[in-house]
Amino acid sequence: MSIGTLLTAGQAAATVHTAVDQVIDAALYYGPGALAAAAVAAAWLTTRWAVRRYDQWLQDRSDRRAYTARAFRLCRVADNADAIAALPETDLITYLDNKYDTTPDLAPEEGR
């Protein structure tokens, strides 16, 4: 163990001792009501922080699922496109013509 580690551990122990000493002084000076109020406030803030963390975790999980589903669909589209592009030219033209004929016209030109 190095001297730096010992010094750091000593500083941490001194910080904890000072914090505990200040809590005891505050409890003796202000009374137990103020200490209880501070504990309630700390618990409230900690709970709000935990709820935000959990909400963010749920949102991240939802985003990952949506991203994974989208990536899967894009891979399927790419696989289908590769399979269609591998068709001979006459079959490809026939396939695309059939797709074009079965697709509804959602924007008729004469209606504008």
Side-chain angles (χ1 to χ4, degrees), residues 36-97:
V40 166
W44 172 260
L45 292 173
T46 303
T47 302
R48 285 183 54 204
W49 173 81
V51 166
R52 281 195 305 269
R53 288 285 305 248
Y54 183 71
D55 185 50
Q56 185 62 45
W57 177 77
L58 286 177
Q59 184 65 41
D60 290 345
R61 185 176 177 197
S62 172
D63 290 345
R64 278 195 308 272
R65 283 187 176 187
Y67 176 79
T68 302
R70 183 172 184 268
F72 177 74
R73 286 192 306 272
L74 288 175
C75 286
R76 294 290 307 262
V77 167
D79 290 344
N80 290 340
D82 289 342
I84 291 168
L87 292 173
E89 186 176 350
T90 56
D91 291 342
L92 178 60
I93 292 171
T94 305
Y95 174 79
L96 292 175
D97 284 339

Side-chain angles (χ1 to χ4, degrees), residues 4 6 10:
L6 289 174

